Amino acid sequence: MATRATVGLRLKDHDHHHCISDAIARAEMLCQRNGARLTENRRRVLELVWQSHAPVGAYEVLEMLRKDGIRAAPPTVYRALEFLLEHGLVHRIETRNAFVGCPQPGQAHAAQYLLCDGCGDAVEIEIGGLARRIETRAAELGFAVATQTIEARGLCSRCQQSAPAGA
Amino acid sequence: MATRATVGLRLKDHDHHHCISDAIARAEMLCQRNGARLTENRRRVLELVWQSHAPVGAYEVLEMLRKDGIRAAPPTVYRALEFLLEHGLVHRIETRNAFVGCPQPGQAHAAQYLLCDGCGDAVEIEIGGLARRIETRAAELGFAVATQTIEARGLCSRCQQSAPAGA
DNA sequence: CGCCATGTGATATAAGATAACACTATGGCT
DNA sequence: AGCCATAGTGTTATCTTATATCACATGGCG
Ligand SMILES: [Zn+2]
Ligand SMILES: [Zn+2]
Ligand SMILES: [Zn+2]
Ligand SMILES: [Zn+2]
């Protein structure tokens, strides 16, 4: 499959409950396959991260947990996020100090993101050969790449229309 | 000139004072040309950021300022950094919440970095066509890119040798 | 049963960044 | 010179993000 992402994923535009339940289903399969334990806490945090397609901060997750009546402290959330990161179930968006669900966990991939400064949505893309290109150039300089962070900020098509000129 | 960066820039390996004085000289020229004021504070912070080729945190700069006998508070540093960022004199390394001097200020460029997890050095590179490639792919999805963040973490050649296996 | 590994709860604190307000320096103008 | 507007600084307090630490629980296993 090529990049299956669409841009400007407003929650109203699609059955987002599917996004969430699919994500949980994928996570359960993947954890079972890898012998990892998707505990209650971890599952809940993953669900909360998937509440939207915009990256969500750790403390926002914490707020949501508390609103659900769960007594939680920062480490609760960070530990769950750490687990989810390790298993590729979420990615960290460095330019926002926030986290977003990965739509294709399990397949190794360098996460590449388009981040809309208007609506906040993050769209994970994969530009063919891009990661390879960086590794190759780094190797020429004797540098061994372990992880890549590629984030492009700007405006999605919808947000370009809403805020066209120097409004 | 192609990428003139070398990797693994230990301070002992080269006359780093040149790196610093060159950076200041470039900054002064550039500010004069742009009608921007490189005040004492800003110049000092730029110098401190250039103390090494490893990105330096805002609070490290603050520490250094204080050791130089200058009374400063966080906003002092952040304001200076903001100015330097605006004028392209430093770049922010998102994966480290830190700042590093730009070796080619004045020329618009999407900063791309190799970040060594061993020695901490940051090497700015420019992979031909990479930025364009991302913009093009984004445009196909209707997304207008404003800024890009490209950071590759790993080990420079020297640090690969020092820490070869699972040491 | 005792032991170890993994996960959790709770408190405190570190690290990074900004808000707000008062004051000063600078340069253009009359 | 005196005045003004703008840009820059000092200071304090606060906010946001992330970890360290220690105590407790749970479950597998010799
Ligand atoms: Zn959705
Ligand atoms: Zn948008
Ligand atoms: Zn140098
Ligand atoms: Zn190194």
Side-chain angles (χ1 to χ4, degrees):
Chain A
M1 121 185 50
T3 306
R4 51 166 247 214
T6 36
V7 175
L9 275 181
R10 289 292 165 78
L11 295 185
K12 304 297 169 59
D13 294 352
H14 67 289
D15 184 357
H16 186 60
H17 292 297
H18 258 123
C19 297
I20 301 178
S21 55
D22 285 5
I24 300 296
R26 281 193 301 267
E28 271 164 357
M29 281 210 308
L30 199 145
C31 283
Q32 181 152 29
R33 198 169 34 166
N34 296 4
R37 295 174 51 198
L38 188 65
T39 62
E40 189 57 21
N41 261 336
R42 294 164 175 174
R43 197 186 51 66
R44 261 197 296 248
V45 169
L46 181 57
E47 268 179 16
L48 291 173
V49 167
W50 269 101
Q51 282 311 310
S52 84
H53 289 278
V56 55
Y59 279 74
E60 290 179 71
V61 172
L62 183 57
E63 269 302 296
M64 293 190 273
L65 276 176
R66 285 175 171 166
K67 275 184 184 154
D68 289 352
I70 292 157
R71 270 226 304 293
T76 310
V77 175
Y78 279 102
R79 284 194 281 232
L81 288 172
E82 187 182 13
F83 172 90
L84 297 171
L85 283 170
E86 270 164 14
H87 291 80
L89 294 166
V90 303
H91 291 296
R92 181 184 162 82
I93 303 299
E94 298 291 344
T95 51
R96 292 221 189 121
N97 297 328
F99 305 83
V100 70
C102 174
Q104 284 121 318
Q107 314 175 38
H109 61 285
Q112 302 166 359
Y113 275 99
L114 301 180
L115 303 166
C116 179
D117 286 328
C119 58
D121 273 3
V123 177
E124 182 169 343
I125 62 176
E126 181 151 7
I127 301 177
L130 197 79
R132 175 82 51 105
R133 186 87 190 288
I134 292 171
E135 277 166 34
T136 303
R137 180 74 186 107
E140 286 168 17
L141 297 167
F143 190 99
V145 173
T147 67
Q148 299 184 7
T149 300
I150 295 171
E151 300 177 9
R153 303 185 58 155
L155 289 178
C156 73
S157 55
R158 196 184 320 247
C159 291
Q160 287 172 57
Q161 293 164 5
S162 337
Chain B
M1 122 183 50
T3 307
R4 50 164 247 213
T6 35
V7 174
L9 274 181
R10 291 291 164 80
L11 294 186
K12 304 296 167 61
D13 294 352
H14 67 290
D15 184 359
H16 187 59
H17 292 297
H18 258 122
C19 297
I20 302 177
S21 55
D22 285 5
I24 300 296
R26 281 193 301 268
E28 271 164 357
M29 283 210 307
L30 199 146
C31 283
Q32 182 153 27
R33 198 168 36 166
N34 295 6
R37 294 175 51 201
L38 187 63
T39 63
E40 190 55 22
N41 261 337
R42 292 166 176 173
R43 198 184 51 68
R44 263 197 294 250
V45 169
L46 182 57
E47 267 179 17
L48 292 173
V49 167
W50 269 100
Q51 281 309 311
S52 84
H53 289 279
V56 54
Y59 278 71
E60 290 179 70
V61 172
L62 183 56
E63 269 302 296
M64 294 190 271
L65 276 176
R66 285 174 171 165
K67 275 183 186 157
D68 288 352
I70 291 155
R71 269 227 303 294
T76 309
V77 174
Y78 280 103
R79 286 194 282 230
L81 287 172
E82 187 182 13
F83 172 89
L84 296 170
L85 283 169
E86 270 166 12
H87 291 80
L89 294 166
V90 304
H91 291 297
R92 182 185 160 81
I93 304 298
E94 298 291 344
T95 50
R96 291 222 189 120
N97 297 329
F99 305 84
V100 70
C102 173
Q104 285 121 320
Q107 314 175 38
H109 60 284
Q112 302 166 1
Y113 276 98
L114 301 181
L115 302 167
C116 179
D117 286 328
C119 59
D121 272 4
V123 176
E124 181 168 343
I125 62 176
E126 181 149 8
I127 300 178
L130 197 80
R132 176 83 52 103
R133 186 90 190 287
I134 293 171
E135 277 166 34
T136 304
R137 180 73 186 107
E140 287 168 19
L141 298 166
F143 190 97
V145 173
T147 67
Q148 299 184 8
T149 299
I150 296 172
E151 299 176 10
R153 301 184 61 154
L155 289 178
C156 72
S157 55
R158 195 184 322 248
C159 291
Q160 288 172 58
Q161 294 164 3
S162 340

